[in-house]
Amino acid sequence: NYPNPFNPTTTIGYVLKEESNAKLILLNAIGEEIAVLVNEEQDKGFHKFDFNAANLSSGVYFYQLKAGSYVDTKKMILLK
């Protein structure tokens, strides 16, 4: 995501190597799911999601991308 740390918006970008169902979820610092940001069939190539965290408190969050058998989790920091 860019920028990181952010306040209150950031852009999460990802590349799919093949067409698949992409699920992008937001997790809190202890791994609880807060929101599903993307959950749809997407073509291969670059995708981005503009995330607005105006309603969240400052802290560490994680976003997780699941696409086919691929799963990756990254950290982001919200500073208000």
Side-chain angles (χ1 to χ4, degrees):
N1 68 303
Y2 180 83
N4 190 17
F6 67 99
N7 177 25
T9 61
T10 187
T11 300
I12 301 170
Y14 54 94
V15 175
L16 299 178
K17 294 187 178 191
E18 59 187 32
E19 181 179 333
S20 62
N21 184 52
K23 186 172 185 181
L24 182 64
I25 59 174
L26 178 67
L27 308 166
N28 65 15
I30 59 172
E32 296 173 329
E33 185 176 305
I34 296 174
V36 176
L37 307 176
V38 174
N39 189 12
E40 63 187 18
E41 192 74 21
Q42 293 184 326
D43 293 331
K44 70 177 184 176
F46 180 77
H47 300 272
K48 68 178 185 173
F49 181 83
D50 295 322
F51 175 62
N52 187 334
N55 61 338
L56 298 175
S57 58
S58 294
V60 175
Y61 294 89
F62 295 91
Y63 58 96
Q64 184 175 72
L65 175 65
K66 297 179 181 180
S69 61
Y70 177 82
V71 178
D72 194 16
T73 305
K74 303 280 186 181
K75 178 171 75 170
M76 61 184 175
I77 300 171
L78 172 59
L79 289 178
K80 288 191 174 182

